[in-house]
């Protein structure tokens, strides 16, 4: 890029830690026992970001396809792990594998469309584009799946009488679980839709701010922002849709009986 | 015979050696709380499958019949009536939708409500109904489907004696008029004596008495 951004000097950044010190003093003053948490958080963030910074610089410098793909794969794995941790309701092994599959399918389909049709960068695996943009798709889909999975699991538990009531009357499992599936899907994509509404007025999206900081014209930045929002919505919708439709089938056996576990 | 059970076992809850339920007759099931009455009905509706033994419906093993098709012929009214969102009308129509049957006109719906002794307009929001009214709504939904076999799990548990009698009388008449098989769990012996062709007593998960009345 022609217009670079002012780099932050090492000692300038150290000065940034002074801000943390101020907060620490505040905590001490008010006798709020959160100092250790804050220190751990700061240290973790520092180590993680320094590591990622060097790794990313290395990948960006090498321009190798396999490295880009490996980075995307690692993000997917971390995202799925994160979902397993964040969903507080027990999931069967089969449901867990559906979580992983819907995450992979939904995001990869969107990525293919996004990088080949919408952006058409050359080469297609250009890490400068693929890694941050995939990260956003994966991150948002992760949140969507977490919401969707939780709603679905809770829905089947709370509404088992309604579902069985429908089955008793001769409803198919698909019909009996339709409302729960739709509710879970809606709950999962609603935050994404809502975030579109405030965009540019209530807040400046992170990616757009970042591009403007690095000297990209605002009009280019908003085009990127719009493109990524379309892709995020699609990716969240695809992943959650696969999850709720496929995942809901795990609650029924081959005799169309409701099987609740946990 | 509508149903035949052979060496049926379900968990530690139900154990029935040999048992038959006649077709186009009124069968009443009685037994104390926790004896396994609901479990038996759920087996007949194939909402659960026996761990051992076989259940035959019209001579065919239930496990060989498509469960959805079976449940459209052998419909069950749960002990706690299921009420779906929307109006009384929505609640009646959803049964037809589940069973993939055609919608019917409002006067047919009103007539069914009358049969179930529920005197409420079709537009009433179903969630505002009382417990006993919900029970009759759920019963009306089933009668609308005119199934081959009607399984009722304590259809009148929330009703006063007078209403209970009128409801049972009505549903019995309905089943007889259409020569349907009616199997219902009732909580009083006197109801069984008055209406049943066959009265079955369940105790501790087994059939202990069977009498033709
Ligand atoms: N899914 C289940 N898992 C374990 N135990 C169960 C299950 N369903 C029912 N039971 C137990 O089986 C026994 C019989 O239950 P069931 O509901 O068939 O009794 P019931 O005769 O219908 O009683 P009531 O008159 O109170 O409705 C009860 O002790 C109940 O706790
Ligand atoms: Mg019962």
């Amino acid at each position: 890029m022609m217009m670079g951004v002012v780099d932050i000097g090492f000692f300038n950044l150290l000065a940034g830690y002074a801000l943390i010190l101020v907060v620490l003093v505040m905590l001490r003053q008010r006798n709020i026992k959160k100092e250790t948490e804050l220190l751990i958080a700061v240290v973790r963030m520092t180590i993680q970001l320094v590591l990622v910074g060097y790794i990313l610089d290395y990948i960006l410098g090498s321009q190798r396809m396999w490295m880009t793909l490996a980075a995307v794969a690692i993000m997917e794995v971390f995202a799925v792990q994160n979902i397993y941790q964040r969903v507080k309701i027990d999931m069967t092994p089969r449901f867990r594998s559906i979580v992983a599959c819907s995450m992979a399918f939904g995001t990869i389909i969107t990525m293919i469309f996004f990088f080949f049709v919408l952006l058409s960068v050359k080469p297609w695996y250009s890490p400068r584009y693929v890694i941050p943009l995939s990260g956003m798709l994966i991150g948002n889909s992760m949140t969507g799946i977490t919401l969707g999975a939780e709603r679905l699991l809770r829905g089947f538990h709370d509404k088992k009488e309604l579902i069985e009531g429908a089955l008793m009357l001769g409803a198919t499992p698909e019909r009996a679980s339709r409302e729960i599936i739709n509710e879970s899907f809606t709950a999962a994509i609603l935050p994404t839709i809502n975030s579109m509404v405030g965009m540019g007025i209530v807040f400046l999206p992170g990616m757009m701010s970042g591009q403007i900081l690095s000297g990209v014209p605002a009009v280019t930045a908003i085009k990127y922002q719009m493109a990524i929002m379309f892709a995020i919505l699609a990716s969240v919708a695809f992943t959650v849709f696969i999850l709720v439709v496929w995942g809901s089938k795990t609650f029924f056996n081959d005799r169309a009986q409701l099987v609740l576990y946990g | 015979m509508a149903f035949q059970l052979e060496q049926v076992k379900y968990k530690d809850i139900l154990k029935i050696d040999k048992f038959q339920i006649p077709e186009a007759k009124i069968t009443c099931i009685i037994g104390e709380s926790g004896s396994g009455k609901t479990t038996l009905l759920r087996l007949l509706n194939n909402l659960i499958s026996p761990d051992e033994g076989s259940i035959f419906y019209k001579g065919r093993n239930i496990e060989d019949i498509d469960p959805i098709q079976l449940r459209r012929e052998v419909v069950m009214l749960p002990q706690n009536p299921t009420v779906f969102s929307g109006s009384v009308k929505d609640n009646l129509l959803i049964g037809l939708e589940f069973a993939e049957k055609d919608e019917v006109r409002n006067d047919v719906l009103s007539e069914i409500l009358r049969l179930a002794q529920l005197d409420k307009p079709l537009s009433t929001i179903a969630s505002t109904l009382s417990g006993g009214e919900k029970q009759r709504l759920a019963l009306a939904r089933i009668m609308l489907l005119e199934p081959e076999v009607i399984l009722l799990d304590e259809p009148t548990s929330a009703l006063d004696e007078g209403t209970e009698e009128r409801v049972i009388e009505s549903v019995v008449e309905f089943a007889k008029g259409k020569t349907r098989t009616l199997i219902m769990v009732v909580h009083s012996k006197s109801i069984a004596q008055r209406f049943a062709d066959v009265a079955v007593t369940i105790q501790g998960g087994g059939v202990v008495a069977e009498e033709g009345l």
Side-chain angles (χ1 to χ4, degrees):
Chain A
M1 201 150 300
M2 294 298 288
M3 296 167 286
V5 62
V6 184
D7 197 1
I8 300 181
F10 178 70
F11 289 102
N12 301 61
L13 192 58
L14 270 189
Y17 283 91
L19 290 175
I20 304 291
L21 274 180
V22 175
V23 179
L24 271 177
V25 170
M26 283 165 66
L27 290 180
R28 172 76 46 95
Q29 279 285 317
R30 308 296 309 175
N31 206 9
I32 302 170
K33 302 230 173 331
K34 289 284 173 204
E35 292 139 315
T36 348
E37 268 100 333
L38 177 62
L39 279 176
I40 292 175
V42 170
V43 171
R44 267 196 70 159
M45 184 191 84
T46 307
I47 297 173
Q48 283 165 205
L49 286 185
V50 167
L51 274 178
V52 164
Y54 279 105
I55 294 172
L56 278 181
D57 266 345
Y58 180 70
I59 298 176
L60 293 175
S62 79
Q63 294 279 339
R64 288 212 187 85
M65 179 172 72
W66 74 264
M67 272 198 195
T68 305
L69 291 181
V72 171
I74 289 169
M75 286 192 282
E76 296 268 14
V77 171
F78 272 105
V80 170
Q81 282 303 327
N82 201 290
I83 296 171
Y84 292 162
Q85 279 169 17
R86 278 172 31 186
V87 175
K88 290 284 172 253
I89 305 169
D90 276 351
M91 293 182 278
T92 54
R94 202 169 141 216
F95 196 86
R96 281 167 178 262
S97 53
I98 290 174
V99 164
C101 287
S102 50
M103 186 73 202
F105 283 153
T107 50
I108 288 170
I109 291 170
T110 316
M111 284 179 210
I112 290 173
F113 186 83
F114 190 64
F115 293 119
F116 285 93
V117 180
L118 233 163
L119 271 194
S120 60
V121 286
K122 301 222 164 41
W124 63 265
Y125 53 84
S126 174
R128 205 179 97 207
Y129 294 92
V130 173
I131 290 176
L133 294 171
S134 303
M136 293 176 75
L137 295 182
I138 292 171
N140 280 279
S141 304
M142 177 182 84
T143 311
I145 289 196
T146 307
L147 283 172
E150 211 147 1
R151 279 295 274 259
L152 192 74
L153 293 162
R154 186 155 330 120
F156 269 94
H157 258 277
D158 294 350
K159 303 212 168 126
K160 65 169 188 267
E161 289 202 354
L162 277 182
I163 300 168
E164 285 205 319
L167 291 178
M168 285 177 191
L169 293 164
T172 60
E174 292 74 33
R175 179 62 191 86
S177 48
R178 192 164 86 188
E179 281 78 12
I180 291 178
I181 291 179
N182 288 353
E183 274 168 27
S184 313
F185 182 70
T186 313
I189 65 163
L190 217 53
T192 308
I193 295 177
N194 288 340
S195 77
M196 285 176 161
V197 178
M199 207 156 273
I201 298 176
V202 185
F203 64 96
L204 284 187
M207 183 182 76
M208 199 174 125
S209 309
Q211 284 187 307
I212 292 173
L213 267 178
S214 38
V216 173
V219 173
T220 309
I222 60 150
K223 282 193 274 185
Y224 267 88
Q225 187 58 38
M226 283 194 250
I228 191 70
M229 280 317 293
F230 299 146
I232 285 175
L233 180 69
S235 177
V236 172
F238 293 164
T239 50
V240 175
F241 186 79
I242 300 171
L243 174 84
V244 292
V245 168
W246 199 2
S248 67
K249 293 192 193 305
T250 65
F251 293 93
F252 299 95
N253 63 17
D254 60 348
R255 296 300 298 162
Q257 296 163 344
L258 183 67
V259 275
L260 288 180
Y261 37 79
Chain B
M1 283 297 145
F3 289 100
Q4 284 168 286
L5 281 73
E6 279 172 20
Q7 253 104 51
V8 168
K9 192 167 173 291
Y10 180 75
K11 295 189 180 165
D12 286 331
I13 302 170
L14 211 65
K15 195 167 178 297
I16 298 178
D17 249 8
K18 220 167 172 51
F19 177 53
Q20 299 187 326
I21 299 174
E23 208 170 334
K25 291 265 162 61
I26 317 291
T27 301
C28 282
I29 300 170
I30 44 179
E32 54 195 42
S33 179
S35 56
K37 306 180 297 292
T38 298
T39 307
L40 175 61
L41 289 198
R42 286 164 66 85
L43 280 168
L44 300 182
N45 186 248
N46 201 231
L47 221 52
I48 47 177
S49 293
D51 298 323
E52 289 168 32
S54 325
I55 300 174
F56 298 91
Y57 170 64
K58 288 184 171 172
R60 279 175 72 196
N61 192 328
I62 270 190
E63 300 297 314
D64 298 333
I65 306 174
D66 175 62
I68 310 295
Q69 291 311 320
L70 176 84
R71 290 183 201 131
R72 286 175 186 176
E73 250 183 72
V74 181
V75 180
M76 173 167 174
L77 175 84
Q79 193 160 359
N80 298 320
T82 320
V83 172
F84 300 94
S85 60
S87 63
V88 165
K89 179 179 172 177
D90 295 333
N91 266 272
L92 292 175
L93 290 180
I94 205 168
L96 295 169
E97 193 208 321
F98 286 156
E100 291 173 5
K101 289 186 168 167
D102 293 332
E103 266 196 35
V104 296
R105 290 203 319 271
N106 278 357
D107 50 327
V108 180
L109 299 179
S110 300
E111 172 62 16
I112 279 290
L113 287 184
R114 204 186 55 73
L115 279 184
Q117 311 293 316
L118 181 59
D119 185 20
K120 286 280 170 187
L122 286 172
S123 56
T124 316
I125 298 303
S127 57
T128 66
L129 295 177
S130 75
E133 287 166 346
K134 284 177 183 162
Q135 225 168 15
R136 282 170 281 162
L137 172 60
L139 182 63
R141 180 164 51 211
I142 286 193
M143 288 161 85
L144 188 61
L145 296 171
E146 296 189 9
E148 205 57 42
V149 179
I150 308 171
L151 307 173
L152 305 179
D153 195 355
E154 303 208 28
T156 56
S157 55
L159 304 182
D160 59 276
E161 249 174 73
T163 315
E164 166 171 51
E165 246 174 60
R166 278 186 286 127
V167 168
I168 301 250
E169 226 162 48
S170 179
V171 71
V172 163
E173 204 175 299
F174 178 85
K176 284 203 164 132
K178 298 191 182 294
T179 56
R180 301 298 151 102
T181 308
L182 176 61
I183 303 168
M184 58 180 167
V185 175
V186 294
H187 56 263
S188 83
K189 251 198 155 90
S190 64
I191 292 274
Q193 263 153 7
R194 247 189 82 190
F195 296 103
D197 297 313
V198 183
V200 179
T201 310
I202 302 221
Q203 199 181 8
V207 176
V208 292
E210 227 179 311
E211 41 188 331
L213 297 167

